[in-house]
Short mmCIF file of all heavy atoms in Angstrom, two decimals:
data_model
loop_
_atom_site.label_atom_id
_atom_site.label_comp_id
_atom_site.label_asym_id
_atom_site.label_seq_id
_atom_site.Cartn_x
_atom_site.Cartn_y
_atom_site.Cartn_z
N CYS A 302 -50.86 -17.88 -7.81
CA CYS A 302 -49.76 -17.49 -6.94
C CYS A 302 -48.98 -16.36 -7.62
O CYS A 302 -48.65 -16.54 -8.85
CB CYS A 302 -48.91 -18.65 -6.56
SG CYS A 302 -49.86 -20.08 -5.96
N VAL A 303 -48.60 -15.31 -6.96
CA VAL A 303 -48.07 -14.12 -7.59
C VAL A 303 -46.78 -14.29 -8.30
O VAL A 303 -46.44 -13.55 -9.31
CB VAL A 303 -47.93 -12.97 -6.54
CG1 VAL A 303 -49.25 -12.44 -6.07
CG2 VAL A 303 -46.93 -13.30 -5.49
N TYR A 304 -45.99 -15.27 -7.82
CA TYR A 304 -44.62 -15.43 -8.38
C TYR A 304 -44.54 -16.51 -9.44
O TYR A 304 -43.49 -16.63 -10.17
CB TYR A 304 -43.66 -15.89 -7.27
CG TYR A 304 -44.21 -17.12 -6.53
CD1 TYR A 304 -43.94 -18.36 -7.00
CD2 TYR A 304 -45.09 -16.97 -5.43
CE1 TYR A 304 -44.47 -19.43 -6.34
CE2 TYR A 304 -45.65 -18.07 -4.80
CZ TYR A 304 -45.31 -19.33 -5.26
OH TYR A 304 -45.89 -20.41 -4.68
N CYS A 305 -45.64 -17.29 -9.63
CA CYS A 305 -45.42 -18.53 -10.36
C CYS A 305 -45.55 -18.51 -11.90
O CYS A 305 -46.30 -17.67 -12.42
CB CYS A 305 -46.49 -19.52 -9.79
SG CYS A 305 -46.04 -21.19 -10.36
N THR A 306 -44.78 -19.34 -12.52
CA THR A 306 -44.79 -19.40 -13.96
C THR A 306 -45.59 -20.60 -14.54
O THR A 306 -45.75 -20.68 -15.73
CB THR A 306 -43.39 -19.69 -14.40
OG1 THR A 306 -42.92 -20.87 -13.80
CG2 THR A 306 -42.37 -18.54 -14.08
N TYR A 307 -46.14 -21.39 -13.63
CA TYR A 307 -46.80 -22.65 -14.17
C TYR A 307 -47.94 -22.31 -15.10
O TYR A 307 -48.04 -22.96 -16.15
CB TYR A 307 -47.35 -23.51 -13.01
CG TYR A 307 -46.27 -24.17 -12.17
CD1 TYR A 307 -44.93 -23.81 -12.27
CD2 TYR A 307 -46.59 -25.07 -11.20
CE1 TYR A 307 -43.94 -24.46 -11.47
CE2 TYR A 307 -45.63 -25.66 -10.38
CZ TYR A 307 -44.31 -25.35 -10.54
OH TYR A 307 -43.36 -25.96 -9.76
N PRO A 308 -48.82 -21.37 -14.79
CA PRO A 308 -49.85 -21.04 -15.78
C PRO A 308 -49.30 -20.53 -17.13
O PRO A 308 -49.91 -20.74 -18.14
CB PRO A 308 -50.68 -19.88 -15.08
CG PRO A 308 -50.43 -20.07 -13.63
CD PRO A 308 -48.96 -20.55 -13.57
N LYS A 309 -48.15 -19.88 -17.09
CA LYS A 309 -47.55 -19.45 -18.30
C LYS A 309 -47.10 -20.67 -19.17
O LYS A 309 -47.08 -20.64 -20.40
CB LYS A 309 -46.35 -18.54 -18.07
CG LYS A 309 -46.61 -17.09 -17.72
CD LYS A 309 -45.33 -16.34 -17.45
CE LYS A 309 -44.72 -15.75 -18.69
NZ LYS A 309 -43.53 -14.97 -18.42
N ILE A 310 -46.58 -21.62 -18.43
CA ILE A 310 -46.02 -22.78 -19.18
C ILE A 310 -47.11 -23.77 -19.65
O ILE A 310 -47.09 -24.17 -20.77
CB ILE A 310 -45.05 -23.59 -18.24
CG1 ILE A 310 -43.89 -22.67 -17.70
CG2 ILE A 310 -44.51 -24.79 -18.92
CD1 ILE A 310 -43.11 -23.31 -16.59
N GLU A 311 -48.08 -24.01 -18.76
CA GLU A 311 -49.07 -25.03 -19.06
C GLU A 311 -50.46 -24.51 -19.30
O GLU A 311 -51.36 -25.29 -19.66
CB GLU A 311 -49.11 -26.06 -17.92
CG GLU A 311 -47.78 -26.74 -17.61
CD GLU A 311 -47.95 -27.85 -16.56
OE1 GLU A 311 -49.07 -28.04 -16.08
OE2 GLU A 311 -46.97 -28.38 -16.25
N GLY A 312 -50.69 -23.22 -19.18
CA GLY A 312 -52.02 -22.63 -19.35
C GLY A 312 -52.75 -22.68 -17.94
O GLY A 312 -52.32 -23.38 -17.02
N SER A 313 -53.80 -21.81 -17.89
CA SER A 313 -54.39 -21.67 -16.53
C SER A 313 -55.67 -22.56 -16.36
O SER A 313 -56.36 -22.44 -15.38
CB SER A 313 -54.71 -20.20 -16.27
OG SER A 313 -55.37 -19.67 -17.33
N SER A 314 -55.97 -23.34 -17.36
CA SER A 314 -57.09 -24.26 -17.11
C SER A 314 -56.53 -25.71 -17.21
O SER A 314 -55.59 -25.96 -18.01
CB SER A 314 -58.24 -24.08 -18.15
OG SER A 314 -57.69 -24.28 -19.40
N CYS A 315 -57.15 -26.58 -16.35
CA CYS A 315 -56.59 -27.93 -16.34
C CYS A 315 -57.15 -28.84 -17.46
O CYS A 315 -58.30 -28.81 -17.70
CB CYS A 315 -57.00 -28.58 -14.99
SG CYS A 315 -56.05 -27.92 -13.59
N ARG A 316 -56.22 -29.55 -18.11
CA ARG A 316 -56.62 -30.48 -19.08
C ARG A 316 -56.26 -31.85 -18.55
O ARG A 316 -55.03 -32.15 -18.33
CB ARG A 316 -55.99 -30.21 -20.46
CG ARG A 316 -56.54 -28.97 -21.04
CD ARG A 316 -55.67 -28.32 -22.11
NE ARG A 316 -54.39 -27.98 -21.60
CZ ARG A 316 -53.25 -27.91 -22.30
NH1 ARG A 316 -53.33 -28.25 -23.53
NH2 ARG A 316 -52.15 -27.57 -21.75
N LEU A 317 -57.22 -32.65 -18.23
CA LEU A 317 -57.01 -33.87 -17.45
C LEU A 317 -56.68 -35.12 -18.36
O LEU A 317 -57.31 -35.27 -19.38
CB LEU A 317 -58.24 -34.18 -16.55
CG LEU A 317 -58.78 -32.98 -15.79
CD1 LEU A 317 -60.03 -33.38 -15.04
CD2 LEU A 317 -57.69 -32.51 -14.81
N LYS A 318 -55.80 -35.95 -17.87
CA LYS A 318 -55.58 -37.23 -18.48
C LYS A 318 -56.56 -38.27 -17.88
O LYS A 318 -56.93 -38.13 -16.72
CB LYS A 318 -54.19 -37.69 -18.25
CG LYS A 318 -53.10 -36.80 -18.71
CD LYS A 318 -52.99 -36.81 -20.22
CE LYS A 318 -51.88 -35.87 -20.65
NZ LYS A 318 -51.87 -35.58 -22.15
N GLU A 319 -56.98 -39.19 -18.62
CA GLU A 319 -57.99 -40.12 -18.18
C GLU A 319 -57.37 -41.05 -17.15
O GLU A 319 -56.31 -41.64 -17.41
CB GLU A 319 -58.48 -40.86 -19.43
CG GLU A 319 -59.80 -41.56 -19.36
CD GLU A 319 -59.61 -42.91 -18.77
OE1 GLU A 319 -58.79 -43.66 -19.21
OE2 GLU A 319 -60.34 -43.14 -17.81
N PRO A 320 -58.02 -41.21 -15.93
CA PRO A 320 -57.34 -41.96 -14.88
C PRO A 320 -56.98 -43.37 -15.25
O PRO A 320 -55.90 -43.83 -14.88
CB PRO A 320 -58.46 -41.98 -13.80
CG PRO A 320 -59.26 -40.71 -14.01
CD PRO A 320 -59.24 -40.54 -15.51
N GLY A 321 -57.84 -44.03 -16.06
CA GLY A 321 -57.47 -45.39 -16.47
C GLY A 321 -56.16 -45.45 -17.28
O GLY A 321 -55.29 -46.33 -17.11
N SER A 322 -55.97 -44.42 -18.10
CA SER A 322 -54.75 -44.39 -18.94
C SER A 322 -53.49 -44.05 -18.08
O SER A 322 -52.38 -44.49 -18.38
CB SER A 322 -54.83 -43.35 -20.10
OG SER A 322 -54.75 -42.01 -19.57
N ILE A 323 -53.77 -43.32 -16.97
CA ILE A 323 -52.61 -43.08 -16.04
C ILE A 323 -52.18 -44.36 -15.37
O ILE A 323 -51.01 -44.69 -15.23
CB ILE A 323 -52.99 -41.96 -15.04
CG1 ILE A 323 -53.31 -40.64 -15.70
CG2 ILE A 323 -51.91 -41.79 -13.94
CD1 ILE A 323 -54.11 -39.69 -14.92
N ALA A 324 -53.22 -45.09 -14.90
CA ALA A 324 -52.91 -46.32 -14.20
C ALA A 324 -52.16 -47.35 -15.19
O ALA A 324 -51.19 -47.99 -14.82
CB ALA A 324 -54.16 -47.00 -13.69
N ASP A 325 -52.65 -47.30 -16.45
CA ASP A 325 -52.07 -48.12 -17.42
C ASP A 325 -50.57 -47.71 -17.70
O ASP A 325 -49.72 -48.62 -17.78
CB ASP A 325 -52.84 -47.88 -18.73
CG ASP A 325 -52.87 -49.03 -19.63
OD1 ASP A 325 -53.10 -50.10 -19.15
OD2 ASP A 325 -52.57 -48.79 -20.83
N ALA A 326 -50.33 -46.39 -17.74
CA ALA A 326 -48.99 -45.91 -17.92
C ALA A 326 -48.03 -46.38 -16.74
O ALA A 326 -46.96 -46.87 -17.01
CB ALA A 326 -48.97 -44.38 -18.02
N VAL A 327 -48.59 -46.29 -15.52
CA VAL A 327 -47.81 -46.68 -14.41
C VAL A 327 -47.49 -48.16 -14.44
O VAL A 327 -46.36 -48.59 -14.16
CB VAL A 327 -48.55 -46.28 -13.11
CG1 VAL A 327 -48.02 -46.92 -11.85
CG2 VAL A 327 -48.60 -44.75 -12.95
N MET A 328 -48.54 -48.93 -14.76
CA MET A 328 -48.31 -50.40 -14.89
C MET A 328 -47.20 -50.73 -15.83
O MET A 328 -46.28 -51.53 -15.55
CB MET A 328 -49.63 -51.02 -15.46
CG MET A 328 -50.75 -51.24 -14.53
SD MET A 328 -50.44 -52.70 -13.63
CE MET A 328 -51.07 -53.92 -14.80
N ARG A 329 -47.28 -50.11 -17.10
CA ARG A 329 -46.33 -50.44 -18.09
C ARG A 329 -44.92 -49.99 -17.73
O ARG A 329 -44.00 -50.75 -17.93
CB ARG A 329 -46.80 -49.74 -19.45
CG ARG A 329 -47.81 -50.64 -20.11
CD ARG A 329 -47.95 -50.24 -21.50
NE ARG A 329 -48.86 -49.18 -21.66
CZ ARG A 329 -48.94 -48.29 -22.70
NH1 ARG A 329 -48.10 -48.48 -23.73
NH2 ARG A 329 -49.87 -47.40 -22.82
N LEU A 330 -44.86 -48.81 -17.14
CA LEU A 330 -43.52 -48.36 -16.75
C LEU A 330 -42.89 -49.33 -15.64
O LEU A 330 -41.76 -49.69 -15.72
CB LEU A 330 -43.54 -46.89 -16.16
CG LEU A 330 -43.88 -45.83 -17.26
CD1 LEU A 330 -44.22 -44.48 -16.59
CD2 LEU A 330 -42.58 -45.70 -18.19
N ALA A 331 -43.77 -49.65 -14.67
CA ALA A 331 -43.25 -50.53 -13.61
C ALA A 331 -42.85 -51.87 -14.15
O ALA A 331 -41.77 -52.45 -13.73
CB ALA A 331 -44.32 -50.66 -12.54
#
Side-chain angles (χ1 to χ4, degrees):
C302 308
V303 294
Y304 53 87
C305 193
T306 56
Y307 293 8
K309 279 180 87 177
I310 301 170
E311 298 187 3
S313 49
S314 59
C315 286
R316 290 161 300 153
L317 309 176
K318 302 287 181 194
E319 202 274 309
S322 76
I323 296 163
D325 209 48
V327 166
M328 281 276 280
R329 277 198 273 160
L330 289 168

